[in-house]
Amino acid sequence: MSDDIHWYFAYGSNMLEEVFVKRRKIQPRKYEIAAINTHTLCFNVMGVPYTDPAMGGIRLREEQEIPVYGVAYQLTSEDMRRVILTEGGGIAYNTATLTATLQRDGSSISVTTLVARHQVDRSWERLPSRRYMGLLIRGAHEKSLPIEYQERMVSQPTFEPTSSLRFRLGKKIFDSIWQRVARWIEICVHRLKGDDGEVPRWFLKTFDCLLWTMWFHHDYLHSILWGRGDGVCR
């Protein structure tokens, strides 16, 4: 295969045509349904509490766990760069080269996929939002992934906001601070991205400082007063 053509393995919201093609303007040459048998789906990419606490990632699979299924897209180098940019310019994910098995004929291909930049221990993984999980479920259904895998996704617990006044007020206060920070980060990613779609190393350090400050604020201060915004009990 030409150096200008890559197989990209999508296991999250990029499985959905509405997201990958229509919203992100990426035009794959073709796609195949595939699985990475060495890894499993997890939610170890830290997001924003009270809104999207966690995003999809993959980690090494234990014996009893289901392999991660997804869509292998054939992309140009420019579209691969766009994937990295639209997934945060390298602030949340690193790229990894893994082996995927095509469901059509059982053959193997080398794919580039995204893995969490921070290897959060599974005991500290948070829950995805219902909105985000809905995108994954729709993408899996749209691409006709194996039924047992679709059932696993449907059964995935999600973060469910409560309707109490205390919780809603706490969310509003938290959002007034950290949603503004998230918007600033988004703007900076687009302004600072390099030719490879990634941001400079100094910005990664700034982002990490803000990320861990936000989660410290949530875990040890805000959630005690207003209720947790990640769907888990500590």
Side-chain angles (χ1 to χ4, degrees):
M1 186 178 292
S2 167
D3 290 341
D4 292 331
I5 302 298
H6 308 266
W7 281 107
Y8 160 61
F9 181 82
Y11 53 83
S13 60
N14 281 339
M15 293 188 294
L16 192 62
E17 182 176 359
E18 174 188 332
V19 173
F20 197 61
V21 176
K22 295 181 180 179
R23 186 187 307 169
R24 296 183 171 172
K25 310 299 182 185
I26 297 172
Q27 298 293 333
R29 293 190 168 197
K30 64 178 182 179
Y31 72 84
E32 297 272 1
I33 306 306
I36 297 178
N37 294 318
T38 54
H39 286 67
T40 192
L41 178 68
C42 62
F43 298 91
N44 63 349
V45 178
M46 308 293 277
V48 180
Y50 301 99
T51 303
D52 277 306
M55 302 298 186
I58 58 174
R59 54 172 164 76
L60 286 173
R61 172 188 165 213
E62 296 187 349
E63 186 176 354
Q64 74 277 12
E65 294 177 317
I66 300 175
V68 59
Y69 285 82
V71 184
Y73 293 107
Q74 199 176 83
L75 304 180
T76 63
S77 293
E78 174 56 27
D79 276 340
M80 191 66 226
R81 187 191 72 84
R82 184 184 290 272
V83 168
I84 294 171
L85 175 61
T86 58
E87 291 289 355
I91 63 174
Y93 294 95
N94 287 328
T95 58
T97 301
L98 299 172
T99 299
T101 301
L102 301 185
Q103 298 304 288
R104 173 172 50 85
D105 59 9
S107 62
S108 297
I109 59 171
S110 179
V111 297
T112 298
T113 193
L114 301 178
V115 297
R117 190 166 68 85
H118 296 295
Q119 295 301 312
V120 178
D121 185 85
R122 68 183 62 198
S123 65
W124 282 93
E125 289 180 13
R126 314 301 169 116
L127 295 184
S129 68
R130 181 186 292 182
R131 178 205 68 82
Y132 177 75
M133 201 63 214
L135 295 176
L136 272 62
I137 292 169
R138 286 168 53 201
H141 178 75
E142 178 182 277
K143 295 301 192 295
S144 298
L145 299 193
I147 293 298
E148 61 271 21
Y149 190 72
Q150 293 190 48
E151 291 174 348
R152 178 258 186 263
M153 299 181 88
V154 170
S155 66
Q156 168 64 41
T158 58
F159 165 62
E160 302 290 343
T162 70
S163 59
S164 71
L165 178 61
R166 171 174 168 254
F167 183 90
R168 288 186 285 118
L169 181 57
K171 180 182 186 308
K172 186 173 183 179
I173 295 170
F174 194 90
D175 286 351
S176 70
I177 302 169
W178 293 109
Q179 286 294 346
R180 293 180 183 179
V181 173
R183 178 57 181 159
W184 174 81
I185 290 171
E186 182 180 353
I187 292 170
C188 287
V189 166
H190 283 274
R191 289 182 178 177
L192 296 173
K193 66 183 183 296
D195 292 338
D196 57 359
E198 298 195 5
V199 296
R201 186 171 298 275
W202 67 263
F203 185 75
L204 289 179
K205 293 180 179 179
T206 302
F207 169 79
D208 287 347
C209 181
L210 291 170
L211 177 69
W212 299 124
T213 299
M214 177 183 68
W215 276 101
F216 182 92
H217 176 200
H218 169 268
D219 287 351
Y220 299 105
L221 297 172
H222 202 84
S223 63
I224 295 171
L225 294 174
W226 307 103
R228 295 195 69 91
D230 60 359
V232 298
C233 298
R234 297 289 185 215

